[in-house]
Amino acid sequence: MKKNWPLWEVFVRSKNGLEHRHFGSLHAADADMALENARDVYTRRNEGVSIWVVESKYITASNPADNGELFEPAQDKIYRHPTFYDLPDEVKHM
Amino acid sequence: MSEKEIKNLEAIFEARIARDEKIEPKDWMPEKYRQTHIRQISQHAHSEVVGMLPEGNWITRAPSLRRKAALLAKVQDEAGHGLYLYSACETLGISRDELYEQLHSGKAKYSSIFNYPTVTWADMGAIGWLVDGAAIINQVPLCNTSFGPYARAMVRVCKEESFHQRQGYEIMLTLCKGTPEQKAMAQDALNRWWWPSLMMLGPTDAASVHTEQSMKWKLKRKTNDELRQQFIDQTVPQADLLGLTIPDPDLKFNEKTGHYDFGAIDWDEFWQVVKGHGPCNKERMNARVSAWENGAWVRDAAMAYAEKQENKKVAKAS
Amino acid sequence: MKNENLYNYILGIADNSLILGQRLGELCGHGPNLETDIAMTNINLDLIGQARSYYQYAGKLTGQDKSEDDIAFLRLEREYRNVLLVEQPNTHFGYVMVRQFLFDMFHFMLMEKLQHSKDETLVAIANKGIKEVSYHKRFSSDWIKRLGDGTAESNAKIQEAINDLWRFTDEFFQLTEADKAMVEVGIGVDVSKLKEDYYKKVSEVLEEATLQTPENKYFTKGGKEGLHTEHMGYILAELQYMQRTFPNMTW
C-alpha cells in the first residue's frame, strides 16, 4: 500500500505583535518540507514573518455534537462582562 | 438514526443555512450536501490545475521578461488556488489523491474552456481578460457560500486573482496600441475566446440541473444566465475601449432592459467539449496524468526518506 | 563600448539565471505535485528577477539605451555566456534537482563573494540575491537527500543524474578574459578559488544523501565562451520566438 504525503495545518504570523493564525493546509512528507512548502504556498505575497506547521492528525478537535454542553453554559454568565454592573455616568476611568 | 431524526436534523440544518450561518466540516450535514460540495469544490480545483496548462504553454515564449515573470506568477497562483480548494475539499473526508484519481479517470469534470488551444501570445491577454473575468463573476459570490472552508478558500482566491484579469487586459491594451499586426492578433484572440467564455458560465437555466439546490445552499447566488448577462454587460465597454469588435452581429444594447442582447450560443459545441471531444481534452488529460505518474517515484522517495528519519529519531531516543 | 569587460562579466552571471529560469519554465504545471510545482516556480521567479536586474545594469553600460529585453532576447547563440549545466534538459525530476543543486551550491558561493565587489550595483544585486539563492540551496540540498536516501529507485535515478551532469561542474571555475579583467580591478570574483570548497561541500551533501561523488576527471566546457551544447538552439528558439517573429514591437 502506497503512502501518501500527510496533511499539515499551517499557521502564519503576519507581523510581529500578532498571533499565528490558521492559514490553511498542505501536503508534505516531513516537517522540514512542510515548513518550506508553507513558505512557498502561503507567503508568496509577503504575508508572514513566522510559520508553524503541525501534522493535521495531531490536532484534537471538539465535537460539534457536544457544543451544547461545552459552550452553552457560558452564555448566561453575564456577570463576567463589564456591562453587567450598573454604575452612574459620573464615575470616570472605570 | 431513524428516518424521523434525520428529517429533523435536516430541517435544523436548512434553517441554519437560511439564517446565513456557516457550516463547518465536523458539523452534521446531509449526505447530499457533502457530495454536492465534494463535486463542486473538486471541479473548481481541477479547473485551476488544468487551467495552468494552456497558459503554461506560453511561459517559455513570453515576449518580454516582465511578461514572463507576470505569467509565471499567475500560473503559479493557479496551482495555489487548486491547492486551497483541494484542501477545502479534503475537510469533507476525501483525500487529494482520490480527487486526482477522479480527474484522471475522467469521472470528474473541469471547466471546458481549458480544452481550447492557446495559439498566439494574444491568447494570454484574452484568457486573463475574458476567462478570468468570467471566473471572477462566478467566484465573488462564493466568498459568502455556506460551507466555511470553501468560503475561506474563495476569499483568498479572489484576493489573489485580482491581478490576473488586469494582467490580461494590459496585454490586450498593449497589443491594441501596437502595430496593425498586433491589433489583428488581439482581435483574433477575442474572436476565438469570446464564445467559449460565455459558455464557461454554464448551461442556460433551463438546462441546468443543479441550480435550484445550489441556490438554496448558497453554492450559487445567481443563475448562470444572470451571471452571463452580467459578464456581457461589463465586458462590452471594455472591448470598446480596446477598439476591438465582439464577434457577435446580434450584440446590441437594449434601452428597455438596460442590458445587452446577444446572439445564440452554440450549445452543441459546449456539450461536445464537456463530453471530452474538444480540441485539447486529450492533451490536457495526458499532461495531468503523466505529470502525476512521472512524479510517483519522487513522492514515494520523499515518504520513504521521512520514515527513515523518523525511525532514526525514535532509535536515538530509546 | 567603454566597459566591455564589465558588460560581458555581467552577462556571464545573468545568462545563468535566465537560461536556468527558461528550463524551469518548461516545468510549471508539470511538477510531481502542487506544492513542489509552486516551490520550483518561486525559484524560477527569483532567477528571472535577478536576470532582469543584471540586464538592466548591462543595458546602461552599452551607452545605447538598450533595454533588458534587447539583451535577454536579441543575441546570437554564440553571445550567450551561461554555463552548459543550466541548459541541460529536464530529463526527469532527478536531473532537475541535481542541476539545481549543483548550480545553487556554486551560485551561493559566487553571491557571497560578489557582495564584496567594488561595483556598487553588483553588490546591491548580490545582497538581495544571496537570500534567494540561500533558500534555493537549502531546497535543492534537502531534495538531494530525500531522493538519495529515499527508495532504491530514487537513489538509482538521482545517482544517474549526478554521474551525467558532473562533467559540467568544472566550468564554473574557469575564468574568461572578461572574468580575469574584472578580478584584476576588484569587481569580479575569482571563481577558480571557489573550486576546492565547492567540491568539498557538494560531496558532504552527497555523502549524507548516501550518494557517490563521481571520480570523473573529464569535463566539458565552452558555455562561458558562447560555445553551447545542442540544446541551446532550441531553448533560444522558444525564448526568442516572439521577439524574432515580430521585431521592434512593444509587448
Side-chain angles (χ1 to χ4, degrees):
Chain A
M1 170 65 196
K2 287 235 159 121
K3 280 203 180 162
N4 298 320
W5 289 6
L7 193 67
W8 299 71
E9 301 302 322
V10 178
F11 300 82
V12 177
R13 185 201 295 289
S14 345
K15 63 177 190 198
N16 275 1
L18 296 178
E19 70 279 55
H20 285 78
R21 197 165 65 77
H22 185 236
F23 259 46
S25 41
L26 49 76
H27 288 270
D30 56 56
D32 287 342
M33 191 200 280
L35 259 188
E36 289 174 12
N37 287 350
R39 176 260 193 194
D40 286 316
V41 171
Y42 288 106
T43 64
R44 299 200 296 288
R45 287 175 167 78
N46 206 14
E47 293 99 329
V49 295
S50 164
I51 302 175
W52 291 347
V53 289
V54 59
E55 208 178 320
S56 310
K57 69 175 180 193
Y58 293 121
I59 289 180
T60 308
S62 65
N63 187 338
D66 300 337
N67 278 11
E69 63 187 68
L70 287 179
F71 307 117
E72 278 175 31
Q75 280 173 9
D76 64 352
K77 310 290 193 291
I78 44 175
Y79 42 79
R80 290 191 196 276
H81 299 281
T83 47
F84 177 76
Y85 301 93
D86 274 333
L87 294 183
D89 288 347
E90 300 86 73
V91 185
K92 300 291 178 201
H93 309 296
M94 199 173 281
Chain B
M1 223 181 295
S2 76
E3 211 168 296
K4 199 179 150 202
E5 281 170 316
I6 292 181
K7 278 266 171 295
N8 191 26
L9 282 172
E10 275 178 5
I12 296 171
F13 180 85
E14 299 296 348
R16 287 182 64 192
I17 292 187
R19 283 199 302 271
D20 258 335
E21 274 182 42
K22 296 289 183 215
I23 306 302
E24 292 298 341
K26 288 177 74 103
D27 292 347
W28 184 89
M29 60 183 78
E31 193 47 29
K32 199 175 164 215
Y33 181 89
R34 182 187 304 276
Q35 292 307 332
T36 304
H37 276 76
I38 289 177
R39 185 173 49 77
Q40 175 160 336
I41 302 170
S42 68
Q43 191 169 317
H44 197 162
H46 297 326
S47 300
E48 295 282 356
V49 171
V50 176
M52 296 171 76
L53 298 169
E55 287 173 287
N57 185 32
W58 278 86
I59 288 170
T60 58
R61 289 179 290 170
S64 71
L65 293 180
R66 178 174 176 269
R67 292 282 179 219
K68 194 188 285 290
L71 185 60
L72 260 174
K74 174 172 191 263
V75 178
Q76 184 197 40
D77 271 354
E78 282 153 15
H81 299 169
L83 194 155
Y84 307 153
L85 290 160
Y86 283 127
S87 299
C89 209
E90 282 183 277
T91 65
L92 290 164
I94 187 164
S95 72
R96 198 197 291 175
D97 293 62
E98 288 171 272
L99 295 169
Y100 274 161
E101 181 53 41
Q102 294 179 355
L103 173 68
H104 297 162
S105 68
K107 189 183 157 216
K109 297 271 177 268
Y110 56 88
S111 182
S112 60
I113 194 130
F114 301 118
N115 291 313
Y116 289 86
T118 52
V119 294
T120 71
W121 170 251
D123 291 6
M124 299 304 101
I127 288 181
W129 172 36
L130 302 172
V131 178
D132 289 302
I136 290 168
I137 284 186
N138 234 333
Q139 288 169 352
V140 168
L142 286 174
C143 296
N144 285 315
T145 189
S146 63
F147 186 54
Y150 192 25
R152 290 193 287 276
M154 289 320 300
V155 168
R156 186 171 282 275
V157 168
C158 287
K159 211 167 93 190
E160 296 187 353
E161 203 134 277
S162 54
F163 97 82
H164 293 185
Q165 198 191 10
R166 294 174 70 96
Q167 179 260 174
Y169 195 74
E170 194 198 70
I171 290 176
M172 293 305 265
L173 203 59
T174 311
L175 292 173
C176 292
K177 285 194 294 197
T179 64
E181 232 173 336
Q182 284 174 301
K183 187 151 188 192
M185 193 190 280
Q187 180 65 55
D188 171 60
L190 172 58
N191 293 349
R192 284 179 290 109
W193 290 96
W194 175 253
W195 292 105
S197 299
L198 297 190
M199 295 176 200
M200 185 187 158
L201 292 156
T204 56
D205 297 348
S208 179
V209 279
H210 304 296
T211 297
E212 200 190 335
Q213 181 67 78
S214 296
M215 297 282 266
K216 220 165 87 192
W217 286 338
K218 296 168 181 166
L219 262 175
K220 247 183 196 308
R221 310 305 288 252
K222 288 181 181 171
T223 70
N224 293 348
D225 287 336
E226 285 168 344
L227 293 172
R228 198 166 7 252
Q229 188 66 58
Q230 185 188 340
F231 174 72
I232 293 169
D233 289 346
Q234 74 180 42
T235 309
V236 175
Q238 294 167 354
D240 290 343
L241 210 69
L242 293 170
L244 295 177
T245 310
I246 287 180
D248 177 0
D250 299 324
L251 188 78
K252 204 169 150 262
F253 189 73
N254 185 327
E255 297 285 355
K256 251 199 242 142
T257 60
H259 297 291
Y260 282 89
D261 294 335
F262 53 96
I265 294 172
D266 181 358
W267 291 109
D268 288 343
E269 177 182 320
F270 174 76
W271 292 112
Q272 181 180 333
V273 179
V274 169
K275 286 181 179 136
H277 308 290
C280 297
N281 294 60
K282 283 208 165 46
E283 287 80 356
R284 301 293 184 241
M285 215 27 63
N286 286 345
R288 284 316 313 157
V289 171
S290 56
W292 187 243
E293 286 176 355
N294 292 336
W297 70 272
V298 177
R299 297 189 302 272
D300 291 348
M303 217 45 233
Y305 176 81
E307 276 168 21
K308 280 187 204 175
Q309 296 301 106
E310 199 52 45
N311 291 341
K312 270 188 211 165
K313 247 195 245 165
V314 173
K316 239 189 215 165
S318 62
Chain C
M1 198 190 314
K2 207 172 67 192
N3 292 308
E4 198 166 351
N5 279 326
L6 178 57
Y7 176 81
N8 284 330
Y9 181 73
I10 294 168
L11 295 192
I13 304 175
D15 288 348
N16 287 337
S17 295
L18 176 71
I19 301 300
L20 184 55
Q22 190 69 6
R23 274 298 188 211
L24 291 175
E26 297 168 15
L27 293 170
C28 185
H30 304 273
N33 63 7
L34 287 175
E35 285 83 354
T36 317
D37 208 309
I38 292 169
M40 309 241 328
T41 302
N42 270 347
I43 293 178
N44 193 354
L45 284 166
D46 288 341
L47 291 170
I48 291 178
Q50 292 161 9
R52 291 184 67 186
S53 305
Y54 290 121
Y55 292 137
Q56 283 162 13
Y57 182 32
K60 281 186 204 142
L61 294 174
T62 60
Q64 302 160 28
D65 203 23
K66 276 203 179 184
S67 74
E68 58 182 48
D69 292 329
D70 292 335
I71 302 175
F73 291 88
L74 293 173
R75 279 175 289 152
L76 299 174
E77 178 172 329
R78 292 297 305 262
E79 293 164 342
Y80 283 82
R81 305 189 171 276
N82 56 285
V83 293
L84 301 176
L85 178 74
V86 296
E87 67 201 47
Q88 299 312 304
N90 303 321
T91 310
H92 60 55
F93 190 78
Y95 278 81
V96 173
M97 265 314 141
V98 170
R99 183 183 63 205
Q100 193 67 42
F101 167 68
L102 293 175
F103 178 69
D104 292 343
M105 294 296 276
F106 165 75
H107 200 191
F108 181 76
M109 296 168 84
L110 178 70
M111 287 297 111
E112 263 184 332
K113 297 281 181 226
L114 200 62
Q115 286 184 304
H116 306 291
S117 165
K118 280 189 181 159
D119 184 294
E120 278 174 27
T121 310
L122 289 181
V123 170
I125 300 175
N127 282 342
K128 178 170 179 289
I130 194 157
K131 293 181 196 127
E132 298 168 345
V133 178
S134 175
Y135 185 77
H136 303 170
K137 180 171 74 107
R138 163 178 163 167
F139 179 84
S140 58
S141 305
D142 282 353
W143 267 105
I144 294 294
K145 289 176 209 161
R146 284 189 195 105
L147 298 176
D149 197 14
T151 62
E153 184 191 7
S154 71
N155 180 279
K157 280 198 140 101
I158 197 99
Q159 186 69 57
E160 173 205 3
I162 290 167
N163 295 348
D164 267 13
L165 296 176
W166 194 255
R167 67 198 155 108
F168 298 113
T169 52
D170 188 68
E171 192 188 3
F172 293 141
F173 312 106
Q174 309 280 332
L175 291 162
T176 63
E177 288 310 310
D179 290 350
K180 285 179 197 158
M182 285 302 103
V183 170
E184 219 156 272
V185 294
I187 290 177
V189 176
D190 186 350
V191 283
S192 67
K193 289 188 177 150
L194 304 176
K195 187 168 170 175
E196 203 182 323
D197 200 24
Y198 174 84
Y199 284 113
K200 190 170 148 274
K201 287 191 168 133
V202 166
S203 324
E204 278 167 12
V205 176
L206 295 185
E207 198 182 326
E208 205 187 326
T210 68
L211 292 160
Q212 307 294 320
T213 303
E215 307 232 334
N216 166 31
K217 296 268 180 286
Y218 298 98
F219 292 101
T220 313
K221 56 178 182 177
K224 285 182 165 184
E225 309 283 354
L227 191 56
H228 293 277
T229 57
E230 288 179 347
H231 304 296
M232 189 66 174
Y234 296 94
I235 294 177
L236 294 183
E238 286 188 21
L239 177 73
Q240 300 184 338
Y241 167 66
M242 290 296 292
Q243 292 271 349
R244 296 286 189 204
T245 313
F246 306 97
N248 304 317
M249 296 183 199
T250 305
W251 301 98

